[in-house]
Amino acid sequence: MTKKRFAEMSEAEFDSLIEGHIERTATGYGEMPADIFLDLLVERMADKVSETVNLSIDMGDDDDLVITPDRELSDIVIRGNEILVGKRRFVLKLAERT
């Protein structure tokens, strides 16, 4: 079997691969490691991206995160450390150091 990257697969080939994985998993035979599956899935999703937005992240005066996009966006709202996309709200926080 020739190895292909997800980006090189047709939709039908990808669906067949996933169905085969599910069948093998159901029978407990030849499972694909989860990390490989997820890497391939993310690669497939990334191929469908049509636009990249670069975000600059700075520390504000009160140790707050300030996110600034490289251009104005009509479908995404960025305010302070929050990003609103559709019905989702992403809040970025600095991880506490232990």
Side-chain angles (χ1 to χ4, degrees):
M1 180 178 186
T2 305
K3 292 185 180 183
K4 282 187 176 181
R5 298 178 61 99
F6 278 140
E8 300 167 341
M9 290 182 186
S10 69
E11 195 77 33
E13 288 173 312
F14 179 75
D15 290 344
S16 176
L17 177 70
I18 297 303
E19 288 174 15
H21 172 71
I22 291 170
E23 287 177 24
R24 285 189 306 275
T25 300
T27 61
Y29 174 75
E31 292 182 14
M32 178 186 294
D35 58 335
I36 293 173
F37 175 77
L38 293 174
D39 286 346
L40 294 172
L41 182 59
V42 169
E43 180 183 310
R44 177 79 171 196
M45 292 169 66
D47 287 339
K48 294 182 179 184
V49 170
S50 62
E51 181 182 12
T52 298
V53 176
N54 294 303
L55 303 173
S56 296
I57 302 174
D58 294 313
M59 292 290 292
D61 294 334
D62 298 327
D63 287 339
D64 292 330
L65 290 178
V66 178
I67 304 167
T68 308
D70 61 355
R71 63 187 169 280
E72 290 294 320
L73 305 165
S74 61
D75 56 343
I76 300 172
V77 176
I78 300 174
R79 179 180 57 210
N81 67 330
E82 298 178 341
I83 302 172
L84 305 170
V85 181
K87 294 182 179 183
R88 292 198 165 94
R89 177 178 171 236
F90 299 91
V91 178
L92 300 166
K93 297 179 180 181
L94 287 176
E96 292 184 25
R97 295 182 187 201
T98 56

